[in-house]
């Protein structure tokens, strides 16, 4: 028995992003980091005063001031201990916050509608979920640890005023130049960091494209050209990297010139005041220590640079963290039924602005940068689809490339919400159902199935619930996968990394996973294209055995698949050209022409057993292969 999913009555609202929300995740660790940083700063500020007092006692003669020396030692050890604790907390808390941010961002992407979630190119999405999350997660840690960087110079200036106002005034003469230096450094670092991250995303996107199309590149012998195309942004990346280091270099050089001058000015004024008898030797020692701490305001450049990078990274995560979950009305479980499917005036429009890599669509955008804003280039994918599929029957969806077959398959299983119209399953709109309750009722098999899990058994058992060993083997037998699985070194326990699988065998594992998770609706999106004729015949028999218990929607390219279906849906340019039994539609020569075109391509693929095609409809190519892993 499959477990009952937990009912959630209404969708969880989009979670706001930002360092403040992230900081609430581990308040105890951040508080401890704050206390360690503050404690170290207080110890460092108290040490010059204690040292100056002890020096005055030594200069005045008399007994050795052991209490003062002991206090100086304790303050030195306290400063060292607090700094060590802050270093440990910075590393551990940063790692935990990074893991949390990655998990939260990934969950947002997986919970959203695929068309929205996959608007970002795959390579860029990977970069955001790895490097960008690590940069963004450092903001609370850096802010908590920066207390010492602010408290030390401010406290040192106060200490200078307490010792001698004239000495403090000498330092304040150069303070405006130091503040201006820090402001300029922060602004330029933020700009350079954002540009560097964008260039990294372009490279990541192009590399992902090349890896996905490695066979095509190899066959076309365009490897050298792809190599140059992938690495072409390195010039821009190097320029932004040099720009970043130039900003650091100028800031370091200006600080190296300004800070010693400030120190020299403070010591000069302090020496004059000592000569005038206004302060003592101990006061001069303390003033020199405070001056060193005050000019340490330059150490803030590292913290400011980290905060600037964090802000730039957080801006790239905002579109992902603000993705809302699939909306629903929180209805209870679907009423019992064999999967009666109904589409009422369903239409789907593709927005060009949601296509993550449309070069030249928007002026000023780099290759690979997601076009999440700007005027959309709208293209109808489905228009005015009215259809009823009786429960327990089979429907073959046919049409030429680009006719909307895969979009139809995505809509009826709610991998994609229509822009107009309604899809109902056993009388209940799909948009009204909690996805946690709806997903176990719908099984998918894809042309290019994802194979999550460690072993072959893991990937077949993967789904809305973990299928048991008996269900796994029954699903494999129905998909005709048990034969080649038995030949693997460890059978079903063979690690996927040790299982060399052809395209057709991967398809059969995807089919086995669908068979192992029976629901009232089974959707095969081009999932038979890599099978030979004999294997397809046996899989079709397994599908027919589910008649009356499960509705089957099959995106078909072969004549045999359409002929065995109870009913055929013929799509053309996103519209319903005709519906009915295959025998009736066969009288139309244009219907027969569809199979003369498509069948040749499908047969050629199956004979070569090189795996399925790349998504004949050209819409949501990644949604069909990646979203099934939810």
């Amino acid at each position: 028995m499959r477990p009952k999913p937990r009912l959630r009555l209404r969708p969880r609202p989009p979670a706001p992003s930002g360092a403040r929300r992230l900081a609430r995740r581990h308040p105890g660790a951040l508080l401890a980091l704050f206390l360690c940083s503050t404690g170290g700063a207080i110890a460092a500020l108290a040490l010059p005063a204690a040292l100056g007092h002890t020096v005055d006692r030594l200069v005045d003669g008399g007994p050795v001031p052991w209490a003062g020396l002991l206090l100086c030692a304790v303050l030195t050890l306290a400063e060292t201990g607090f700094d060590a604790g802050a270093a440990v907390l910075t590393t551990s808390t940063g790692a935990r916050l990074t893991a949390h941010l990655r998990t939260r961002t990934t969950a947002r992407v997986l919970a959203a509608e695929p068309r929205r979630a996959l608007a970002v190119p795959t390579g860029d999405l990977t970069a955001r979920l790895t490097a960008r999350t690590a940069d963004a997660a450092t903001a609370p840690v850096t802010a908590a640890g920066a207390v010492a960087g602010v408290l030390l110079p401010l406290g040192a200036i106060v200490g200078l005023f307490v010792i001698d106002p004239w000495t403090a005034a000498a330092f304040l003469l150069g303070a405006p130049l130091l503040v201006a230096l820090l402001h300029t450094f922060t602004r330029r670092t933020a700009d350079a960091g954002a540009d560097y991250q964008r260039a990294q995303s372009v490279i990541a996107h192009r590399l992902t494209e090349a890896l996905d199309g490695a066979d095509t590149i190899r066959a076309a012998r365009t490897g050298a050209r792809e190599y140059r195309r992938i690495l072409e942004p390195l010039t821009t990346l190097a320029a932004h990297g040099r720009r970043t280091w130039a900003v650091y270099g100028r800031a370091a050089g200006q600080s190296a010139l300004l800070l010693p001058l400030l120190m020299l000015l403070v010591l000069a004024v302090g020496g004059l005041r000592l000569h005038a008898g206004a302060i003592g030797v101990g006061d001069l020692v303390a003033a020199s220590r405070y001056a060193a701490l005050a000019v340490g305001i330059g150490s803030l450049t590292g913290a400011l640079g980290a905060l600037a990078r964090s802000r730039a990274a957080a801006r790239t995560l905002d579109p992902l963290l603000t993705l809302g979950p699939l909306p629903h009305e929180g209805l209870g479980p679907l009423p019992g039924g064999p999967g009666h499917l109904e589409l009422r005036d369903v239409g789907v429009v593709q927005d060009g602005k949601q296509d993550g890599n449309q070069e030249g669509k928007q002026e000023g955008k780099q290759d690979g940068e997601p076009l999440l804003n700007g005027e959309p280039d709208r293209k109808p994918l489905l228009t005015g689809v009215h259809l009823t599929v009786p429960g327990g029957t089979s429907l073959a969806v046919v049409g030429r490339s680009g006719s909307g077959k895969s979009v139809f398959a995505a809509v009826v299983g709610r991998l994609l919400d229509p822009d107009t119209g309604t899809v109902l399953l056993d009388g209940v709109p799909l948009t009204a159902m909690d996805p946690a309750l709806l997903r176990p009722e719908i099984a998918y098999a894809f042309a290019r199935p994802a194979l999550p899990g460690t072993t072959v058994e893991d990937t077949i058992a993967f789904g809305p619930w973990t299928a048991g060993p008996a269900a796994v083997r029954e699903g494999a037998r129905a998909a005709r996968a048990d034969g080649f699985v038995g030949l693997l070194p460890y059978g079903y326990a063979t690690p996927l990394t040790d299982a060399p699988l052809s395209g057709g065998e991967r398809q059969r594992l995807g089919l086995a996973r669908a068979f192992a998770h029976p629901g009232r609706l089974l959707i095969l999106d081009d999932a038979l294209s890599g099978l030979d004729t004999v294997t397809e015949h046996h899989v079709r028999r397994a599908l027919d055995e589910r008649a009356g218990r499960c509705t089957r929607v099959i995106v078909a390219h072969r004549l045999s698949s359409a002929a065995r279906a109870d009913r055929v849906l013929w799509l053309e340019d996103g519209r319903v050209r005709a519906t009915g039994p295959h025998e009736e539609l066969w009288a139309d020569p244009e219907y027969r022409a569809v199979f003369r075109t498509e069948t040749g391509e499908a047969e050629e693929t199956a004979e070569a057993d090189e795996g399925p095609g790349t998504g004949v409809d050209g819409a949501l190519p990644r949604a069909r292969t990646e979203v099934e892993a939810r």
Side-chain angles (χ1 to χ4, degrees), residues 337-341 388-394 426 520 547-552:
H340 182 84
L341 189 64
T388 299
V389 184
T393 64
S394 60
D426 286 322
R520 66 184 71 189
R549 298 181 289 113
C550 170
T551 301
R552 290 93 64 210

Side-chain angles (χ1 to χ4, degrees), residues 260-486:
L261 289 178
L262 283 176
M263 276 287 296
L264 182 61
L265 180 61
V266 170
L267 291 176
V269 173
L272 292 175
R273 298 290 289 170
L274 176 65
H275 179 72
I279 60 175
V281 175
D283 291 332
L284 180 60
V285 171
S288 65
R289 293 282 298 175
Y290 280 130
L293 294 176
V295 298
I297 195 172
S299 64
L300 280 176
T301 55
L304 292 175
L307 287 174
R309 291 192 300 273
S310 297
R311 289 182 59 186
R315 283 195 293 269
T316 67
L317 296 178
D318 281 343
L320 303 180
L321 289 169
T322 53
L323 286 170
L326 280 171
H328 61 88
E329 298 174 11
L331 297 183
L334 283 168
H340 182 84
L341 189 64
E342 184 177 358
L343 288 81
R344 300 175 181 173
D345 194 26
V346 168
V348 177
V349 178
Q350 182 185 47
D351 286 352
K353 67 179 180 179
Q354 292 162 346
D355 185 355
N357 184 33
Q358 297 186 34
E359 300 183 15
K361 284 290 182 90
Q362 184 174 335
E363 185 177 355
K365 289 286 185 181
Q366 299 185 48
D367 177 25
E369 186 176 353
L371 306 181
L372 298 177
N373 300 301
E375 292 298 324
D377 179 16
R378 303 180 70 83
K379 173 187 175 184
L381 302 177
L382 287 179
T383 305
V385 177
H386 290 273
L387 182 68
T388 299
V389 184
T393 64
S394 60
L395 174 73
V397 185
V398 304
R400 298 182 186 276
S401 296
S403 60
K405 300 186 296 296
S406 291
V407 178
F408 178 88
V411 166
V412 296
R414 212 194 174 193
L415 293 186
L416 170 66
D417 280 338
D419 294 293
T420 60
T422 306
V423 182
L424 300 95
L425 183 61
D426 286 322
V428 179
L430 296 186
T431 54
M433 290 299 304
D434 188 327
L437 298 174
L438 174 65
R439 194 51 54 200
E441 302 295 339
I442 303 174
Y444 261 99
F446 296 90
R448 301 175 64 184
L451 300 180
T454 304
T455 64
V456 172
E457 182 167 359
D458 290 341
T459 197
I460 298 176
F462 184 86
W465 70 93
T466 301
V472 166
R473 282 152 181 79
E474 178 59 31
R477 282 191 290 270
R480 302 292 290 181
D482 56 333
F484 74 82
V485 172

Side-chain angles (χ1 to χ4, degrees), residues 220-272:
R221 299 181 63 84
T222 58
R225 187 170 64 190
E226 283 299 307
Y227 178 83
R228 291 191 298 269
R229 188 180 77 89
I230 294 169
L231 298 185
E232 181 269 334
L234 278 180
T235 303
T236 304
L237 187 70
H240 293 319
R242 287 192 295 269
R243 176 181 160 203
T244 301
W245 284 111
V247 171
Y248 273 100
R250 281 194 295 269
Q254 292 167 355
S255 299
L257 177 64
L258 179 60
L259 300 184
L261 289 178
L262 283 176
M263 276 287 296
L264 182 61
L265 180 61
V266 170
L267 291 176
V269 173
L272 292 175

Side-chain angles (χ1 to χ4, degrees), residues 544-558:
D544 293 340
E545 291 173 0
R546 284 158 173 75
R549 298 181 289 113
C550 170
T551 301
R552 290 93 64 210
V553 176
I554 303 145
V555 174
H557 296 278
R558 293 180 179 175

Side-chain angles (χ1 to χ4, degrees), residues 34-99:
F34 171 82
L35 293 176
C36 284
S37 300
T38 305
I42 292 174
L45 290 172
L47 182 59
L51 185 61
H53 180 72
T54 303
V55 169
D56 280 339
R57 294 282 302 277
L58 289 172
V59 171
D60 291 342
V64 177
W66 292 109
L69 293 174
L70 179 61
L71 178 61
C72 292
V74 169
L75 290 174
T76 301
L77 291 175
E79 180 184 2
T80 304
F82 279 127
D83 288 346
V88 172
L89 287 170
T90 296
T91 303
S92 60
T93 307
R96 289 198 296 269
L97 290 177
T98 299

